[in-house]
Amino acid sequence: MFKPRRYLMCRPSHFRVTYSINPWMDPSKPVDLSLALAQWEDLAERYRSLGHAVEELDPRPELPDMVYSANGGTVVDGRVLGARFAHPERTGEAAAHRDWYRAHGYPEVHEPEHVNEGEGDFAVTASWLLAGRGFRSSPLSHGEAQEFFGRPVIGLDLVDPRYYHLDTALCVLDDSVDGAVMYYPDAFSPGSQATLRRLFPDALLAEETDARELGLNAVSDGHHVFLPQAAAGLFAPLRDRGYEPIPIDLTELLKGGGSVKCCTAELRG
């Protein structure tokens, strides 16, 4: 069910790839910064044109990955679980996000004890919090999130380093119901695949050709699904389920290992 959303984004003014902390990052491949900015601006404008509000977090030159704003926290019912990053290259982003939330009227901003990378590894459904683990977020962060938000957390094990965050392998299509998701099964352990089949028997299952374009790194408002334009194999299945795919070109930002969802934090409540 469509509803207008509020998103937090960070302009890639200082985006570059000078280190490698995931299989997508290759410092030998130069980034076209002007193209990255244009692609980011196109995504932000697409959101605004469809009725969504876009807030902006100020980028910092020493933190080139701040463009991936989804990693900086998880917001549910106006409460913010901050991030704690696994790699030292991104550690400073956590405080920048917490500062933004406190400055913008969020009264409950929790600084976590355990490593979690925000909506990179937490996905919100109507009733649950789906939580990835295996490459970045600590399993201990799942209990911390459950205590803070007071909603059940379901842990899912990621086994393919290309899909190092949950949001690279699974997308919630409609957070007003519990069953509407799409995911790439082979990104998960056998036990987690069985859990997903039990929870989401009618899920849209992505093929490898679309998953490797980060087609699951998508954002849905309950009707429009913003996703990488190269993941064309998902377009017809989404339309068959009543969604409208909105192809987005974020190829420059893919060089850092992220696409639409990585660039988009949802401000819920």
Side-chain angles (χ1 to χ4, degrees):
M1 181 178 67
F2 169 79
K3 65 177 181 181
R5 313 285 173 136
R6 291 181 64 231
Y7 297 131
L8 178 62
M9 300 180 68
C10 183
R11 193 174 297 272
S13 303
H14 310 293
F15 177 63
R16 58 193 182 275
V17 178
T18 59
Y19 50 80
S20 180
I21 57 174
N22 67 59
W24 304 89
M25 302 178 80
D26 182 350
S28 70
K29 294 181 179 178
V31 169
D32 184 333
L33 184 56
S34 62
L35 180 56
L37 283 162
Q39 291 176 343
W40 182 92
E41 288 167 355
D42 178 64
L43 175 61
E45 182 52 36
R46 296 286 189 97
Y47 287 148
R48 293 185 176 110
S49 71
L50 290 169
H52 305 303
V54 176
E55 307 283 350
E56 291 195 33
L57 174 68
D58 290 336
R60 299 187 183 182
E62 73 277 16
L63 298 170
D65 282 344
M66 277 187 72
V67 63
Y68 304 122
S69 59
N71 300 151
T74 305
V75 185
V76 181
D77 298 327
R79 308 180 76 218
V80 183
L81 176 63
R84 182 178 291 274
F85 286 87
H87 293 285
E89 292 89 344
R90 300 194 66 184
T91 298
E93 295 177 42
H97 280 262
R98 291 195 304 271
D99 290 347
W100 187 93
Y101 285 112
R102 290 175 177 134
H104 287 79
Y106 288 83
E108 293 184 80
V109 180
H110 178 67
E111 183 173 353
E113 179 180 352
H114 303 291
V115 171
N116 86 76
E117 298 198 341
E119 290 189 317
D121 275 327
F122 288 131
V124 181
T125 73
S127 301
W128 310 309
L129 206 62
L130 307 179
R133 62 192 174 209
F135 295 103
R136 296 291 184 86
S137 296
S138 165
L140 297 174
S141 71
H142 298 182
E144 188 173 20
Q146 183 167 281
E147 286 300 309
F148 181 69
F149 289 123
R151 63 164 60 201
V153 172
I154 297 168
L156 298 168
D157 290 302
L158 298 162
V159 296
D160 186 327
R162 295 173 299 173
Y163 309 105
Y164 58 94
H165 273 153
L166 182 64
D167 71 356
T168 64
L170 180 147
C171 172
V172 176
L173 294 170
D174 188 346
D175 60 8
S176 67
V177 296
D178 281 321
V181 305
M182 61 178 180
Y183 68 92
Y184 175 50
D186 287 351
F188 297 93
S189 69
S192 293
Q193 289 183 41
T195 297
L196 288 165
R197 287 195 299 270
R198 182 181 294 270
L199 290 175
F200 308 114
D202 299 319
L204 193 167
L205 303 183
E207 301 289 341
E208 181 183 6
T209 52
D210 296 308
R212 70 185 180 214
E213 300 292 348
L214 285 192
L216 284 308
N217 195 243
V219 169
S220 176
D221 61 19
H223 177 66
H224 308 98
V225 181
F226 306 84
L227 75 168
Q229 65 179 16
L234 291 170
F235 297 172
L238 285 167
R239 292 190 184 102
D240 289 344
R241 293 166 182 251
Y243 298 100
E244 181 181 346
I246 308 292
I248 302 292
D249 182 4
L250 286 182
T251 48
E252 283 306 297
L253 295 170
L254 183 59
K255 292 176 179 178
S259 190
V260 178
K261 176 56 194 172
C262 286
C263 294
T264 312
E266 184 165 350
L267 306 174
R268 302 176 185 87

